Amino acid sequence: MPSPLRIAFAGTPDFAAEHLRALLESHHNVVCVYTQPDRPAGRGRRLNPSPVKALALEHGLSVHQPERLKTPDTHAPLIEADIDVLVVVAYGLILPRAVLDIPRIGPINVHASLLPRWRGAAPIQRAIEAGDRESGVTIMAMDEGLDTGDMLLTARVPIEDTTTAATLHDQLAEVGTRALVEALDRMSDQQLTATPQPLDGVTYAAKLSKAEARLDFSQSATVLSQRVRAFNPFPVAWTTLGGDTLRLWQADARVAQGSELDAAPGQLLDGPSDALHVACGEGVLRITHAQLPGGKMLSAHELLNSRRDQLTAGTILGADQ
């Protein structure tokens, strides 16, 4: 068995917590944890710990939550921990050179894309939105750039026509945790070689916004179905039905036929009750799961039964946007 490494972990959301859990179940030693400060959430705006903090406290680990990592006092716990490796997963703060130089072997990062494609904040969502047929995880040696470090290990995952950001997140967390532990084992035995990222194929995954989740039915059904799946579970694609916001959770695309070709973008079409069939700039969007204000997500069949008077053929979705 490879020699155990002393590890400091830096991460914040669920995706990071899954990787911390894998390290805690491995033979390596997590000796301290960094995560972002508690944030207000819910109707009461009470301060909530990050998933990483909650898991770390369950295991009695030392937790540090600086707003920034610019001052020596914020670096001191890392120095005192005498670490071999700093593992960073979706931490959300920029690490200065002074921090990157602390671990004996080096800092490594788990990034949810096949680098150099989709460097940046939202790689899972942007891959689906762009229609990629494959995603993955890259274990990377960190430098001071934005996801520009040398690659140590990759693990690939296919993107299917039904893949959402939620399901891809879970798949990448599963393969990423295995890849992370394998990388650390091989680093321990000095059997891992770093490879520079290719100069071609670099793209950037911009941060998501709620404003971009509103659908424009003049776009093609293929593009819109990719956006619906990319924005599930956040920020959730939406349109309007009458004066209500209709949130769209799952959809796919099909080819328009006959009179459907003459329908206006956003117009509801006749079709089987397993979906809302919506005319688009090109093709038909089949919405299979949606949600109205104050209600839960419903199948299209349930939605048609509850709003049959509004969801008739000829209704224009998004007409009042």
Side-chain angles (χ1 to χ4, degrees), residues 163-175:
T163 299
T164 65
T167 58
L168 184 56
H169 167 282
D170 292 347
Q171 291 174 299
L172 295 179
E174 183 178 346
V175 301

Side-chain angles (χ1 to χ4, degrees), residues 53-296:
K53 179 181 179 180
L55 180 61
L57 292 179
E58 283 178 21
H59 289 79
L61 294 170
S62 168
V63 176
H64 308 279
Q65 298 178 274
E67 289 280 358
R68 298 286 184 272
L69 281 168
K70 294 182 177 179
T71 57
D73 62 307
T74 61
H75 309 165
L78 285 173
I79 297 170
E80 293 166 2
D82 190 29
I83 56 174
D84 298 305
V85 178
L86 170 61
V87 174
V88 181
V89 186
Y91 180 31
L93 291 184
I94 295 173
L95 273 58
R97 171 50 63 188
V99 169
L100 298 177
D101 287 340
I102 291 173
R104 259 190 299 276
I105 296 177
I108 65 172
N109 174 246
V110 180
H111 186 72
S113 83
L114 297 173
L115 292 170
R117 189 162 175 80
W118 303 128
R119 294 172 177 170
I124 295 174
Q125 295 86 351
R126 298 303 180 195
I128 297 172
E129 183 185 17
D132 291 4
R133 305 308 299 176
E134 185 180 50
S135 180
V137 164
T138 302
I139 311 296
M140 173 183 61
M142 293 186 71
D143 61 17
E144 291 179 277
L146 177 62
D147 301 325
T148 55
D150 291 349
M151 298 183 297
L152 299 168
L153 205 63
T154 59
R156 296 173 179 273
V157 170
I159 297 178
E160 311 288 351
D161 290 339
T162 56
T163 299
T164 65
T167 58
L168 184 56
H169 167 282
D170 292 347
Q171 291 174 299
L172 295 179
E174 183 178 346
V175 301
T177 54
R178 291 199 299 266
L180 173 60
V181 174
E182 179 185 347
L184 290 169
D185 288 348
R186 292 169 62 181
M187 290 174 74
S188 173
D189 285 348
Q190 299 182 333
Q191 294 180 353
L192 195 58
T193 303
T195 304
Q197 293 187 33
L199 298 177
D200 295 332
V202 174
T203 59
Y204 289 91
K207 187 176 179 179
L208 299 170
S209 71
K210 291 184 178 180
E212 69 178 306
R214 184 173 67 183
L215 297 189
D216 174 0
F217 290 105
S218 67
Q219 295 183 305
S220 77
T222 298
V223 166
L224 293 176
S225 68
Q226 289 164 185
R227 300 189 73 208
V228 170
R229 292 185 289 109
F231 297 156
N232 172 353
F234 177 84
V236 185
W238 65 278
T239 184
T240 56
L241 171 65
D244 292 329
T245 297
L246 183 64
R247 306 174 84 200
L248 311 179
W249 287 93
Q250 187 67 276
D252 54 56
R254 67 169 174 82
V255 176
Q257 298 178 336
S259 61
E260 294 175 346
L261 294 166
D262 299 323
Q267 182 178 331
L268 285 176
L269 306 169
D270 283 324
S273 62
D274 61 343
L276 303 180
H277 302 259
V278 186
C280 299
E282 180 181 344
V284 174
L285 186 69
R286 293 181 67 256
I287 301 168
T288 58
H289 293 82
Q291 181 181 17
L292 284 164
K296 63 181 182 180

Side-chain angles (χ1 to χ4, degrees), residues 39-46 48:
R39 304 294 187 197
R43 290 185 178 179
R45 308 302 292 165
R46 297 178 57 184
N48 273 7

